[in-house]
Amino acid sequence: MKKLTAILSFFILIVAFSYLGWRTIEHEVLMRQTNQKLLAQSQMKNIKSSIESLLNQRAVYFNSLAQFLHSDQTDIDVFLASQTDIKNIFKIKHNKIVYFSNKTDLQWSNIVESIEYDSSILVNHHSQSEQFQPKFGWYQSYDHLIYWVIESDTIIGFELSTINFSLNVICLFDDQMLANNFVLLDHDKQIYVNGEQLADSITITLDYPLQNWKLIYYYQSPKLLVLYLLGGGVIGLFIIAISFIVLYCYREYTRTLRLAKQQVSFVGQVSHEFKTPLTNITLYAELLQEKLIDEPVPIPDYLEVITSESKRLTRLVQNVLNFNKPAKLNIKPVNLTHLVERVYTTFKPVLAKKSLQLNLIINCDKNCMINTDEDSVLQIVNNFLSNAEKYAARGKKVDLLLNKNDKQTIITVRDYGIGIPNHLIRQIFKPFYRINSSITEGVAGTGIGLTIANQLAQQLNGTIQVVNENPGVAFSLIIME
């Protein structure tokens, strides 16, 4: 069931990543398309602005000419013959035509007569209000493009030569040497072509009075197939990489689990083999204790230690055999002062063989009573001292402390060795974990002592606290009242 859940979770992860990756590619494609289109629109605006700027230059020029032609003494025919940008001129004063050129052109004559009859048609394409009436502007009728100016009571109009204006636009684009791809049309008549005609294009119509002019801008869309292939390849490679990482982690996990099971099996088998000789040692120690009860001190005391330690070792073996099961607790009033003194008596000669001085410090009453399980407390404290014996021999001394306040009782074993790195303190409570350093080389151990101690402390409604000192490290069993 767990394997099926893991496979399903991995499949969901791959699907979710593939979906998010594909959505990212689509977003990138859309963003590139949008950016390309926005760039094309920006280039079109520049081209359009260039044409309008050229038209505005003509308007400024015509305004200055209107002031010059306002005088009646001016020979307009002679002036018109000298202009290349102006095709025709008309002059209307007091709603009467006083001059217009090229009277043979009937269409031109009709336009001028229409303006004479109703001059308001000139301002129909301009914003107007009661407060503002334009005094100049463009007027377009048929193929005639007229710029008009009102000077006092006189209307002067200039017909712009569209052919010459188109040539000016062509010259402008040639001078600018544009790198864009576009076509400029007047109706269906082609005015200017630049670059090549690509698959994608944008078309706009110029503003009045060039509303018959059309600008078609061509641009190249990003190569989406290449982008999709590259994105899909990256997603595929990432999925393959994740698959290899997951496979590697799974193999390492199964290997570690198999090794842990082997260790548990080995420890269980060895512990089971210990039970019979321990039972015999306990039995013969009790027999010797009965026979030698009248012997002088310290022989009876030594036998008492052998007997009690044999019984405790038997219980420890049973705890190892029940490693994955909660230990059976025997909660009763325990004199922790006597318990700590007994531990001190037991470990003092053991630590002395390693040139370690064991110091006993009791900061409470001689009868420090608490309801707890005696064997569990002994096992936890003995584990602290055993670790100090194994890994802190360089410190030359170990402190065993008992402190009690209103709410908790604390038993601490502090060594003066090299300590434990802070980032590894949580790791030492994991089953079969041993710190890989010089202090553990050549030291036997299974890596389950602190795991069992932590489990027992939790069952006692207590905690184990590990604090790095300077030097050494302090292990504390904190039992709440």
Side-chain angles (χ1 to χ4, degrees), residues 252-393:
E252 287 297 309
Y253 169 75
T254 54
R255 186 182 67 82
T256 305
L257 184 62
R258 183 171 61 254
L259 181 61
K261 288 181 178 179
Q262 291 174 353
Q263 290 175 333
V264 172
S265 176
F266 173 75
V267 172
Q269 292 174 3
V270 172
S271 300
H272 188 272
E273 294 297 325
F274 284 170
K275 290 182 67 177
T276 300
L278 282 174
T279 302
N280 293 334
I281 292 172
T282 303
L283 176 62
Y284 283 102
E286 290 176 347
L287 291 174
L288 283 174
Q289 193 174 12
E290 292 177 359
K291 295 289 185 179
L292 302 177
I293 193 171
D294 295 329
E295 291 294 321
V297 177
I299 293 177
D301 295 335
Y302 290 165
L303 289 173
E304 175 65 26
V305 171
I306 293 172
T307 303
S308 62
E309 288 300 298
S310 299
K311 291 179 179 180
R312 188 177 67 82
L313 189 55
T314 301
R315 292 191 295 269
L316 291 179
V317 169
Q318 189 61 42
N319 286 340
V320 173
L321 291 174
N322 298 325
F323 175 60
N324 291 322
K325 302 176 182 178
K328 295 181 180 179
L329 300 181
N330 181 21
I331 304 298
K332 62 180 181 180
V334 177
N335 190 327
L336 290 183
T337 305
H338 292 168
L339 185 144
V340 171
E341 289 174 346
R342 192 169 66 193
V343 172
Y344 171 78
T345 302
T346 302
F347 273 88
K348 184 176 181 180
V350 176
L351 296 179
K353 289 183 180 180
K354 294 287 186 75
S355 300
L356 283 168
Q357 177 185 348
L358 180 60
N359 302 316
L360 178 62
I361 303 172
I362 298 177
N363 297 320
C364 62
D365 298 336
K366 293 184 178 180
N367 296 313
C368 178
M369 302 298 298
I370 187 174
N371 289 325
T372 187
D373 180 70
E374 183 177 0
D375 287 340
S376 297
V377 175
L378 275 173
Q379 184 172 348
I380 295 170
V381 177
N382 288 342
N383 179 266
F384 295 166
L385 286 168
S386 296
N387 289 339
E389 174 201 351
K390 293 178 183 178
Y391 308 118

Side-chain angles (χ1 to χ4, degrees), residues 9-58:
S9 300
F10 177 71
F11 177 76
I12 293 174
L13 174 65
I14 294 298
V15 171
F17 176 79
S18 301
Y19 173 76
L20 292 176
W22 193 255
R23 292 288 294 177
T24 301
I25 294 173
E26 289 182 337
H27 178 267
E28 180 67 20
V29 168
L30 181 61
M31 185 174 67
R32 290 193 180 188
Q33 288 177 328
T34 303
N35 289 341
Q36 196 71 22
K37 190 171 183 179
L38 290 175
L39 179 61
Q41 291 174 346
S42 175
Q43 297 292 345
M44 289 182 69
K45 289 181 180 178
N46 292 335
I47 296 172
K48 179 183 174 183
S49 297
S50 298
I51 299 173
E52 292 174 346
S53 175
L54 196 62
L55 192 65
N56 291 333
Q57 291 176 13
R58 298 295 179 273

Side-chain angles (χ1 to χ4, degrees), residues 14 63 65 71 87 114 125 146 148 188 230 290 338 352 368 388 395 403 416 425:
I14 294 298
N63 280 328
L65 288 181
S71 172
K87 186 175 180 181
S114 298
H125 297 282
I146 300 170
W148 56 270
D188 294 329
L230 287 176
E290 292 177 359
H338 292 168
C368 178
N403 295 283
Y416 292 82
I425 287 179

